[in-house]
């Protein structure tokens, strides 16, 4: 009887408690680290950001809510990405990047950017310390993507461990 009561309480707690993680780590078929961040858009829909590592440099990609064909990519040239993060000292900073439009799986439009080594270290350190990452996409044709997209800090220890192993050149 006692075991039944404990099992019932456990199942009830599991069903009423939400679980979420905002950062996931994996490697691609070539062994390259890919960190996926779940993005909450201003309208409470979700998309994703991807951080890939190459030695001491991160490449950043943000999935938009738009679809596009390869022939439509010139319409999105000049897109900017603004990343909001915290420094080691806790100061809020913004980093502006020139974005390049690409077509992702399912004809989804993504914007990618390459970070310099010092920029990579700043973003990686902020994420690894459990800080939220803010993402803004700036382009007149992407009006559905206006506002600050947020990647919350859940799963940051997974991201930290993955970066320590998969990105040994990053200065965290």
């Amino acid at each position: 009887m006692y075991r039944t009561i404990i099992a019932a309480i456990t199942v009830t707690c599991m069903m009423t408690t939400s679980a979420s993680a905002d950062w996931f780590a994996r490697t691609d078929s070539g062994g390259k680290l890919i960190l996926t961040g779940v993005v909450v858009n201003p309208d409470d829909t979700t998309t994703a950001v991807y951080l890939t590592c190459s030695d001491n440099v991160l490449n950043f990609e943000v999935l938009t809510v738009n679809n596009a064909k390869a022939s439509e990519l010139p319409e999105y040239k000049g897109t900017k990405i603004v990343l909001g993060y915290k420094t080691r000292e806790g100061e809020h900073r913004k980093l502006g990047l020139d974005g390049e439009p690409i077509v992702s799986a399912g004809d989804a439009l993504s914007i990618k950017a390459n970070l310099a080594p010092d920029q990579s270290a700043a973003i990686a350190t902020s994420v690894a310390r459990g800080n939220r990452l803010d993402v803004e996409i700036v382009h007149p044709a992407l009006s559905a993507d206006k506002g600050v997209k947020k990647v919350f800090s859940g799963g940051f220890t997974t991201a930290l461990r993955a970066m320590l192993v998969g990105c040994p050149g990053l200065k965290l």
Side-chain angles (χ1 to χ4, degrees), residues 43-124:
D43 64 358
D44 289 329
T45 60
T46 57
T47 56
V49 297
Y50 307 99
L51 293 172
T52 54
C53 180
S54 180
D55 191 31
N56 65 341
V57 175
L58 290 176
N59 298 311
F60 184 84
E61 181 180 332
V62 58
L63 189 63
T64 72
V65 297
N66 295 34
N67 289 336
K69 303 265 188 242
S71 61
E72 298 170 331
L73 292 180
E75 295 175 31
Y76 302 103
K77 288 284 185 195
T79 301
K80 305 290 183 197
I81 298 172
V82 179
L83 300 179
Y85 67 99
K86 277 189 179 180
T87 65
R88 292 176 196 264
E89 295 77 27
E91 295 176 38
H92 291 277
R93 295 264 172 92
K94 288 194 175 191
L95 173 64
L97 302 166
D98 292 325
E100 177 188 344
I102 60 171
V103 177
S104 295
D107 289 336
L109 175 66
S110 289
I111 309 298
K112 72 175 191 172
N114 299 320
L115 283 73
D118 60 326
Q119 295 169 331
S120 298
I123 296 302

Side-chain angles (χ1 to χ4, degrees), residues 124-138:
T125 299
S126 184
V127 169
R129 290 177 179 249
N131 296 310
R132 184 182 82 199
L133 180 66
D134 294 338
V135 181
E136 294 178 75
I137 301 172
V138 182

